[in-house]
Amino acid sequence: PRAPIKYTLTTPAATENSTITVWVTDTGTKYHAAGCSYLNQSAHSMSKKGALAAGYTPDTSGRCTPP
């Protein structure tokens, strides 16, 4: 008899979050797309995965459409 085959599935969204770049500010709680008018001089980039882990949530104001 053959041993059962084991599969490991990785969802695209899980791997994409670590390579997608979003923008946050030092004082905000939302992450933004590059060029969003809410971004100011304190804006800096980070991975979407890092932003989510730090407690940031996507900007849903309609000014930008973050990934």
Side-chain angles (χ1 to χ4, degrees):
R2 293 184 181 181
I5 299 172
K6 294 182 181 180
Y7 294 96
T8 302
L9 299 177
T10 304
T11 61
T15 55
E16 288 175 5
N17 283 345
S18 61
T19 58
I20 293 173
T21 300
V22 296
W23 293 82
V24 299
T25 63
D26 292 337
T27 58
T29 60
K30 305 288 184 186
Y31 66 81
H32 305 266
C36 178
S37 61
Y38 278 132
L39 296 173
N40 59 32
Q41 293 177 351
S42 71
H44 52 95
S45 64
M46 64 188 325
S47 71
K48 181 178 178 182
K49 182 178 181 179
L52 291 169
Y56 290 96
T57 57
D59 173 30
T60 57
S61 69
R63 287 198 181 188
C64 70
T65 309

